[in-house]
């Protein structure tokens, strides 16, 4: 059995660049170990031959050619020990166990799977001068056959760890900068698209207003003409053959009945087109620097009208609107929240609608229980919450605007609920932003409100948006 192993530097086998998820095993690690009974001179000779060695792993000999990990001696601690008066003369020819008890090197042992960012934070917590000593890294490495007594520990230079830490922080800063640039680009594109759609809606409203204004006169004129024809029939009851032939040719009786229906249909279509263009303008509202009062009910109605084409099945919308005064908010961003939650509800009801169609068409042949008509219930009201419910100590009671959007879908499983809750956290939201995580950020960060959801399997899911009423 050798007393001191041959020092070896283990590099990253993949040779890849460091990233945010890099761990200690991705860094250069020194494999250098010595038994407690080895001579101090042999240990010092290895340090002289390898000036970059940060320290040595100390092991104790056991039976059956096995060993036990005891600790670590850093190059710094050993050098400072020999700098003492007559330290070199007294202990150079002694065994390592003689001076090991005097060194007292601070020991930090970390798993090889520990992230570099976490490891650096723990390393800096060590007291001086131990914070410059190497870190002991424990892994599942196998020892070479000729050194079967070696334990699965290696040393990491604190300087290497610090350099890697700042390299990763630079990468993190760059990623955050690029993500911010992408968000700014998206925001600018959305703002440009909003202005474009707002302009298109304005251009639609102009001819619609022209048609609507003249349609009123057209209906009045048609009624007057029909009254005139009726007067002719009453005052000149003797039919003229040429007029009778023309009536039969143009199907006068049918035309007289269908013409008012056509005008009514044109009026209904014009009114619908006007509402749609107005809804587009409301939805594409560009938020200014400061929030402004807005009528939430009108904006909810506008969004329901816009996404009506997405409701390709018989989904019932129930509105339980309470009395809401104008709410000071960034209405453009809240519109995005409303549409995200509503679309989530529509998608959840899709499978239920398909299942109901199966039951209606083929009967309950597959053991499918008939369900009630898919529906979404929108409830708005003013409520009061105390400080324990709002996590605020400013006022004991505060008025809030509550918007609840509930569906009678099959509900979310506990795993799906946990995924939604995890997406609300900042680290996971930065990796993958979802429509619900974006909605959570808009409600909480931009409006100081709360974004809650409750789901029970077999009953449904409800999202609640709470906005402070100022």
């Amino acid at each position: 059995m050798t007393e001191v192993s041959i020092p070896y530097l283990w590099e990253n086998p993949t040779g890849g660049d460091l990233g945010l998820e890099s761990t200690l095993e991705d860094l250069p690690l020194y494999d250098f170990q010595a038994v407690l009974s080895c001579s101090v001179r042999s240990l010092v000779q290895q340090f002289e031959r390898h000036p970059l060695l940060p320290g040595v792993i100390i092991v104790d000999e056991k039976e059956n050619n096995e060993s036990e990990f005891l600790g670590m001696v850093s190059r710094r601690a050993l050098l400072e020990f020999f700098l003492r008066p007559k330290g070199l003369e007294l202990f150079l020819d002694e065994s390592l166990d003689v001076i090991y008890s005097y060194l007292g090197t601070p020991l930090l042992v970390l798993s090889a799977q520990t992230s570099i960012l976490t490891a650096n934070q723990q390393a800096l917590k060590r007291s001086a001068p131990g914070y410059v000593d190497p870190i002991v890294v424990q892994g599942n490495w196998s020892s070479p056959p000729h050194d079967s007594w070696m334990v699965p520990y290696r040393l990491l230079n604190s300087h290497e760890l610090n350099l890697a830490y700042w390299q990763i922080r630079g990468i993190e800063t760059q990623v955050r900068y690029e993500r911010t640039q992408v968000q700014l680009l998206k925001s600018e594109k959305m703002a440009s698209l909003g202005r474009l759609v707002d302009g298109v809606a304005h251009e639609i409203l102009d001819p619609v207003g022209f048609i609507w204004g003249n349609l009123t006169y057209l209906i009045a004129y048609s009624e007057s003409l029909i009254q005139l024809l009726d007067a002719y029939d009453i005052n000149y009851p003797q039919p003229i053959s040429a007029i009778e032939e023309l009536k039969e040719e143009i199907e006068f009786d049918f035309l007289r009945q269908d013409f008012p229906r056509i005008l009514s249909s044109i009026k209904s279509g014009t009114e619908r087109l006007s509402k749609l263009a107005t809804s587009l303008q409301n939805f594409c509202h560009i938020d200014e620097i400061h929030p402004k009062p807005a009528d939430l009910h009108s904006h909810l109605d506008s969004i329901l009208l816009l996404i009506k084409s997405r409701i390709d099945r018989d989904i019932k919308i129930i509105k339980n609107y309470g009395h809401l005064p104008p709410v000071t908010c960034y209405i453009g961003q809240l519109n995005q929240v409303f549409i995200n939650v509503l679309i989530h509800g529509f998608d959840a009801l899709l499978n239920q609608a398909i299942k109901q169609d199966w039951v209606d068409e083929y009967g309950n042949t597959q053991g499918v229980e008939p369900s009630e008509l898919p529906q979404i219930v929108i409830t708005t009201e003013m409520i009061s919450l105390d400080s324990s419910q709002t996590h605020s100590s400013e006022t004991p009671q505060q008025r809030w605007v509550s918007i609840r959007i509930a569906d009678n879908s099959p509900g979310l499983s506990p795993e799906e609920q946990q995924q939604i809750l995890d997406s609300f956290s900042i680290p996971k939201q930065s990796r993958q932003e979802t429509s619900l995580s974006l909605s959570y950020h808009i409600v909480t960060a931009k409006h100081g409100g709360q974004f809650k959801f409750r789901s029970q399997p077999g009953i449904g899911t409800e999202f609640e948006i709470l906005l402070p009423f100022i």
Side-chain angles (χ1 to χ4, degrees):
M1 176 186 296
T2 59
E3 294 181 342
V4 180
S5 68
I6 300 174
Y8 186 80
L9 176 63
W10 295 86
E11 303 278 1
N12 184 0
T14 61
D17 296 331
L18 296 177
L20 299 178
E21 304 298 331
S22 296
T23 60
L24 295 182
E25 62 182 354
D26 297 323
L27 299 178
L29 299 175
Y30 290 90
D31 193 354
F32 180 44
Q33 302 183 15
V35 296
L36 191 61
S37 59
C38 76
S39 66
V40 176
R41 182 179 294 274
S42 63
L43 184 62
V44 172
Q45 289 174 352
Q46 291 294 343
F47 277 122
E48 289 178 349
R49 292 172 188 160
H50 305 277
L52 296 181
L53 276 176
V56 59
I57 299 291
I58 307 300
V59 298
D60 190 17
E61 298 177 83
K62 296 293 183 181
E63 297 180 356
N64 301 325
N65 204 29
E66 294 181 354
S67 58
E68 177 186 3
F69 170 75
L70 293 180
M72 179 269 301
V73 174
S74 67
R75 174 189 288 269
R76 175 200 61 81
L78 192 62
L79 179 60
E80 290 181 354
F81 188 83
F82 286 136
L83 288 177
R84 296 177 181 179
K86 297 185 179 182
L88 192 61
E89 299 177 7
L90 294 175
F91 297 100
L92 185 60
D93 294 322
E94 299 290 339
S95 62
L96 182 59
D97 58 345
V98 175
I99 66 171
Y100 179 66
S101 59
Y102 292 97
L103 293 177
T105 303
L107 191 63
L108 175 61
V109 181
L110 297 176
S111 169
Q113 302 300 321
T114 306
S115 69
I116 294 176
L117 298 178
T118 302
N120 190 74
Q121 293 175 355
Q122 297 187 29
L124 293 177
K125 292 178 181 179
R126 296 180 294 177
S127 59
Y131 65 87
V132 298
D133 288 340
I135 295 97
V136 179
V137 180
Q138 182 182 14
N140 295 321
W141 304 291
S142 58
S143 302
H146 62 279
D147 285 332
S148 58
W149 56 274
M150 297 173 64
V151 292
Y153 292 89
R154 294 176 185 173
L155 292 178
L156 171 62
N157 194 323
S158 295
H159 181 63
E160 292 284 348
L161 175 62
N162 197 37
L163 288 178
Y165 171 79
W166 286 110
Q167 180 181 347
I168 293 176
R169 287 300 300 268
I171 296 173
E172 187 180 20
T173 302
Q174 180 66 22
V175 170
R176 188 181 295 111
Y177 171 76
E178 293 176 356
R179 186 179 293 117
T180 302
Q181 293 298 108
V182 171
Q183 290 295 335
L184 289 175
L185 183 60
K186 286 183 179 179
S187 299
E188 182 60 29
K189 285 184 177 180
M190 291 303 296
S192 300
L193 181 61
R195 286 189 288 267
L196 177 63
V197 174
D198 182 71
V200 171
H202 180 74
E203 292 299 322
I204 293 176
L205 284 175
D206 279 348
V208 166
F210 174 78
I211 296 173
W212 180 265
N214 287 281
L215 189 61
T216 304
Y217 297 106
L218 181 60
I219 294 175
Y221 296 161
S222 65
E223 292 176 352
S224 299
L225 289 175
I226 291 176
Q227 290 177 2
L228 177 62
L229 292 176
D230 291 339
Y232 269 103
D233 288 339
I234 294 173
N235 293 285
Y236 297 94
Q238 187 66 30
I240 300 175
S241 59
I243 295 177
E244 291 298 322
E245 291 176 0
L246 181 59
K247 281 185 176 183
E248 291 180 2
E249 182 179 348
I250 65 174
E251 298 180 351
F252 176 73
D253 294 336
F254 173 78
L255 186 150
R256 180 176 179 178
Q257 295 178 0
D258 194 50
F259 190 58
R261 297 198 203 103
I262 292 176
L263 292 178
S264 177
S265 219
I266 294 175
K267 182 179 179 181
S268 176
T270 305
E271 185 178 5
R272 183 178 176 184
L273 185 59
S274 177
K275 289 181 179 180
L276 182 60
T278 304
S279 299
L280 278 175
Q281 284 187 320
N282 290 336
F283 180 73
C284 296
H285 178 86
I286 301 174
D287 290 321
E288 300 180 2
I289 298 177
H290 303 288
K292 290 190 174 181
D295 182 5
L296 297 184
H297 290 162
S298 64
H299 285 273
L300 282 168
D301 291 339
S302 298
I303 291 172
L304 289 172
L305 181 62
L306 288 177
I307 61 178
K308 189 175 182 179
S309 60
R310 191 178 179 92
I311 313 175
D312 53 356
R313 296 184 176 273
D314 192 11
I315 298 177
K316 187 177 182 181
I317 305 295
I318 300 176
K319 303 176 186 178
N320 295 327
Y321 289 170
H323 175 69
L324 291 185
V327 179
T328 302
C329 60
Y330 297 97
I331 191 58
Q333 298 183 30
L334 279 185
N335 283 338
Q336 187 64 54
V337 174
F338 295 150
I339 198 170
N340 289 342
V341 175
L342 285 169
I343 288 179
H344 184 275
F346 291 144
D347 292 340
L349 290 170
L350 181 60
N351 290 336
Q352 184 176 353
I354 295 175
K355 182 171 63 176
Q356 185 63 41
D357 288 348
W358 179 275
V359 173
D360 294 340
E361 184 172 355
Y362 298 102
N364 197 8
T365 58
Q366 302 294 327
V368 178
E369 293 294 334
S371 59
E372 59 181 334
L373 182 68
Q375 65 181 21
I376 289 181
V377 181
I378 305 176
T379 306
T380 62
E381 60 180 337
M382 294 290 299
I383 62 175
S384 296
L385 299 178
D386 55 30
S387 58
S388 62
Q389 295 173 289
T390 62
H391 307 288
S392 173
S393 58
E394 296 180 359
T395 55
Q397 289 283 343
Q398 187 176 2
R399 299 181 68 196
W400 293 73
V401 176
S402 172
I403 305 102
R404 299 196 303 274
I405 301 176
D407 59 66
N408 60 343
S409 65
L412 301 174
S413 65
E415 292 77 12
E416 292 172 327
Q417 296 182 43
Q418 188 60 44
Q419 288 178 0
I420 294 177
L421 290 175
D422 290 342
S423 69
F424 293 166
S425 65
I426 295 177
K428 296 189 178 182
Q429 181 183 357
S430 61
R431 296 175 191 172
Q432 183 178 5
E433 188 175 67
T434 64
S435 61
L436 292 180
S437 66
L438 177 61
S439 301
Y440 176 85
H441 175 75
I442 291 175
V443 174
T444 57
K446 296 292 292 185
H447 293 83
Q450 299 182 40
F451 186 78
K452 302 179 179 180
F453 83 95
R454 296 171 286 270
S455 183
Q456 189 171 353
I459 295 180
T461 304
E462 179 183 79
F463 288 88
E464 183 176 15
I465 301 163
L466 291 172
L467 302 174
F469 182 71
I470 304 175

